[in-house]
Amino acid sequence: MKKSVLKIGIVCVLFILVFEIGSHFLMKKTTYLEQTALTFVEEDVLKVSNPEDRVTETFQMPYDTLKKVALRITNYQTDCNTPWTLLITDESGNVACEKEFRFVKATDNGIYTIDLEKAYSVHKGEQYTLSLYSKKVTSDSPIGFYYGTLLTTAGEESQLSYNGEQQESKALCLSVYGGDKDPFWIMVYGIVLLALLFLTIRGIMLATKGMNWKEDAVIQAAACGLLVFFVCLPFAAMGTYAFTDENDNVRGGMLIARGAVLYRDYVTQHTPFAYYLCGVFALLGASSATQMRILFYICLGVLWTFLYHRHRKNLPAWVLYLLPLLTIFTPVAMTGAYTTMVVAESMQLQAFMVIMLELYAMRLDHKLSLGRCVVLSLAAWTAIGSVFMSVYTLFFFVLIFLLFEIQYWRAQQSRKIGCILKRYLPLAIVGCIPGICGLLYFKVNHALYYAFQQMYLFNREVYTKYQDMGNSILEPFFSGIVSALSEFQNAVLMYGAGGGIKPYHVLVVLILVTSVVIFIKAFAKNRTEWGVLILGILAIASGAARGVDDWHGQAFWGMLITGVFLLISQEPGRIKDRHVIVRLALLCYAFLILQPVAAQLRYDVTTKQEAVSYLDPIILNELDEGESIFMDAYCNDSIYLLAKGHEPVNRAVYCLPWYMDWYETWNLEDIKESKPDVVVWNPDQECWSQFHYAALLDKYIQENYERVGEGAPIWVKEDK
């Protein structure tokens, strides 16, 4: 006992040490690579052509962490390869950063970025002096540094000197890149370390009792969850500022966390679950798409820890380890990495998998316990709350449930009403609770009609004009079948035309055919099982209602792989060794889909953090702290502005053609009432080959605001 206590103590000390070391580095990690410019005006050039020349700029440090600086220069059309020194010192003269560099591949009259190669801790708000000089510069290889009148907020405290002579009210055309400390990173790091610490301590305690920790159900389940989290983690940094569907969820969630109510204060045609999940993430400190993804991956890890523990007696361990990986990364391999983002379709897929695993367990034990009712209810409402068209797939799941129940009641001696109520009353009550809670929430917040209008009426009456679907209530179902069949047909046709074929398709077909053969041989005379197979195929096909070649189709691919796993996980005595072929195919398939993970790891290692949009610093310069803004997020899809505290005044933040059909008047009311000083708006914005789809709004903006710069989607009040 004393030895185990000593071991646990040593482990705790080691984890504390690891936490402290990691926290030291994470203090320098920036959520956004921000940019602050001292001036946007280029008036003249300070020419450095001899070793005695020195350019210094004293400025107020805008961030806690410094990563790089950028200067507008001219090399006078010469090839300047002489060594230069960048020196940054604090108010006491202490060196904060020193960098030796050369103006290699510099563009004449262009921006030259000096990457500091590592993050430097600095003191936000304090005065720092930047010096530029070269001991070997000559008149044959001069460099000129552009400077101009101080126009930005960041440049107010700046002092530019050239060879000791101060340039009054001037500043270098200098941009500072960095960011502020964010405790979010340390929080996540601490959560992961605590999980690992818990497993380590549990393993030590089990070993002390003479038990095999490798066979412990809790450790196995947690290992499955951690595996899911760590394999997904490389995708967190992908395309940070790129994807509208994800940014829509993130933006809506951040506004909800600040008190907004979906549909009433934020217009969307989508169902609410993804927005409110992002709202929870925002309350936990997430303020970027990357941070939202990390918390989403933690949720996936927790979910699969639960599913492993719940189904460990029904499914082999190798299935429970491979299943989440293949269902998450098959869509990545087939359609691209958008499926790893915080999009509603990812949540829909996980909900469907929970239901499929629960129905599989129900087929084995025929139980309808309160716990099972809760799991089925939460999963069903999560699916509907993520993607409304989930009702088609859920319809077939309900039919499978009814088949199991018919089979159950045929085997029962008593079919009294009391027995029936005892079995189904908990399901009815639990099944209604999430829906009732949602209705009450929107009713209390005066948003129930807006929710019905945007989720249902809008999609039936407006969006069908832009998307060729929804004209018939059965159309999405038949579209799913056509999409599922067309994917493999097109692959074969491409191969016949010399276009090659995806190895994924070959293995999927091999797995499917072998699985169906196994099923036929094992259950050829069981009509219930045949019904389940047919309904299962229809359920999977209905997941392809919006196609299978992008992130909308990930439910199809995930359910397809899950169905295969459930087919080959039958009792060994019934299928004997026929499943060996499928296992081999699955292992080959698992190896193939590691490619997207490896490619993403390469991206993470070789690609540096992207800076925020070049428009964002210009917009920030026009805004006071916490000031609201009118924004068309489609022309500048920036979460960064919201993270800095600048909320949109308009409810329809994405000014898309279909939204403007119904909600242009809302935006017009919002801008007239709020009168924001800054508007982000592009009058020539194109969307799905449509232009000028908000004429009234555009007219008001052009009459009351002035454009900042030629072609920039930034407008300020005429009297500002």
Side-chain angles (χ1 to χ4, degrees), residues 359-391:
L359 289 176
Y360 180 81
M362 186 177 174
R363 167 188 167 275
L364 298 177
D365 60 24
H366 305 291
K367 294 179 181 178
L368 195 56
S369 63
L370 179 61
R372 180 159 291 158
C373 293
V374 171
V375 171
L376 287 173
S377 173
L378 290 176
W381 282 107
T382 297
I384 295 173
S386 300
V387 179
F388 187 74
M389 284 195 294
S390 298
V391 294

Side-chain angles (χ1 to χ4, degrees), residues 243-261:
F243 190 42
T244 300
D245 283 49
E246 182 184 45
N247 280 355
D248 178 35
N249 294 333
V250 172
R251 178 176 282 103
M254 291 176 69
L255 290 172
I256 288 169
R258 300 179 188 189
V261 176

Side-chain angles (χ1 to χ4, degrees), residues 621-640:
N621 186 59
E622 301 291 342
L623 293 166
D624 295 328
E625 185 175 351
E627 185 180 357
S628 297
I629 182 174
F630 182 98
M631 168 177 281
D632 176 13
Y634 194 67
C635 72
N636 183 42
D637 202 357
S638 172
I639 301 298
Y640 170 69

Side-chain angles (χ1 to χ4, degrees), residues 1-53:
M1 184 65 181
K2 291 183 178 179
K3 288 184 178 179
S4 64
V5 172
L6 180 61
K7 288 180 181 178
I8 291 173
I10 293 172
V11 166
C12 289
V13 171
L14 288 174
F15 269 85
I16 291 173
L17 183 62
V18 171
F19 177 76
E20 288 295 328
I21 294 172
S23 298
H24 173 74
F25 289 101
L26 288 173
M27 289 292 286
K28 299 178 183 179
K29 182 170 179 58
T30 54
T31 302
Y32 292 95
L33 182 55
E34 303 180 53
Q35 174 188 357
T36 295
L38 301 188
T39 181
F40 298 120
V41 178
E42 305 153 16
E43 293 180 348
D44 207 343
V45 175
L46 298 175
K47 186 176 182 180
V48 177
S49 58
N50 66 74
E52 287 75 31
D53 291 339

Side-chain angles (χ1 to χ4, degrees), residues 6 21 57 66 72 142 179 282 298 324 450 461 543 624 635-636 643 680:
L6 180 61
I21 294 172
E57 178 77 67
L66 179 65
R72 181 171 290 279
I298 290 177
Y450 297 138
E461 297 181 16
D624 295 328
C635 72
N636 183 42
V680 178

Side-chain angles (χ1 to χ4, degrees), residues 172-420:
L172 283 177
C173 293
L174 167 71
S175 292
V176 180
Y177 290 82
D180 293 333
K181 296 175 183 177
D182 191 341
F184 173 88
W185 303 109
I186 297 176
M187 179 193 74
V188 171
Y189 181 59
I191 290 172
V192 174
L193 280 183
L194 282 175
L196 293 173
L197 177 61
F198 166 76
L199 293 180
T200 304
I201 292 175
R202 184 175 179 85
I204 292 173
M205 294 178 67
L206 290 172
T208 302
K209 296 176 181 179
M211 301 171 65
N212 188 350
W213 62 269
K214 295 180 182 178
E215 296 179 358
D216 180 62
V218 174
I219 291 179
Q220 289 178 342
C224 178
L226 286 170
L227 177 65
V228 171
F229 170 73
F230 282 117
V231 174
C232 289
L233 192 58
F235 291 88
M238 180 207 56
T240 309
Y241 312 105
F243 190 42
T244 300
D245 283 49
E246 182 184 45
N247 280 355
D248 178 35
N249 294 333
V250 172
R251 178 176 282 103
M254 291 176 69
L255 290 172
I256 288 169
R258 300 179 188 189
V261 176
L262 201 65
Y263 306 116
R264 186 193 71 188
D265 304 318
Y266 187 79
V267 171
T268 177
Q269 68 194 95
H270 303 129
T271 42
F273 182 79
Y275 297 98
Y276 282 90
L277 182 63
C278 287
V280 174
F281 294 164
L283 289 173
L284 292 173
S287 59
S288 71
T290 295
Q291 292 178 337
M292 295 277 182
R293 290 174 203 155
I294 290 173
L295 291 181
F296 181 56
Y297 300 155
I298 290 177
C299 288
L300 290 181
V302 172
L303 173 65
W304 278 100
T305 298
F306 167 76
L307 291 178
Y308 185 102
H309 195 273
R310 184 169 180 80
H311 297 288
R312 68 189 187 281
K313 296 179 180 178
N314 301 327
L315 293 166
W318 70 271
V319 168
L320 289 170
Y321 277 107
L322 268 184
L323 183 57
L325 302 182
L326 292 183
T327 50
I328 290 170
F329 293 112
T330 295
V332 176
M334 295 294 190
T335 69
Y338 283 170
T339 56
T340 62
M341 293 184 174
V342 188
V343 291
E345 289 77 9
S346 299
M347 303 166 198
Q348 175 197 36
L349 167 58
Q350 298 303 317
F352 284 162
M353 291 177 65
V354 171
I355 294 173
M356 292 178 76
L357 290 175
E358 208 61 40
L359 289 176
Y360 180 81
M362 186 177 174
R363 167 188 167 275
L364 298 177
D365 60 24
H366 305 291
K367 294 179 181 178
L368 195 56
S369 63
L370 179 61
R372 180 159 291 158
C373 293
V374 171
V375 171
L376 287 173
S377 173
L378 290 176
W381 282 107
T382 297
I384 295 173
S386 300
V387 179
F388 187 74
M389 284 195 294
S390 298
V391 294
Y392 293 96
T393 305
L394 291 174
F395 171 75
F396 293 108
F397 285 155
V398 169
L399 293 182
I400 292 173
F401 173 85
L402 292 176
L403 278 180
F404 289 157
E405 289 304 284
I406 291 171
Q407 188 181 42
Y408 169 79
W409 286 110
R410 281 177 179 172
Q412 300 302 308
Q413 298 295 326
S414 174
R415 301 174 187 169
K416 295 180 181 179
I417 189 68
C419 296
I420 295 173

Side-chain angles (χ1 to χ4, degrees), residues 91 284 293 479 503 670:
E91 292 176 325
L284 292 173
R293 290 174 203 155
S479 296
D670 293 337

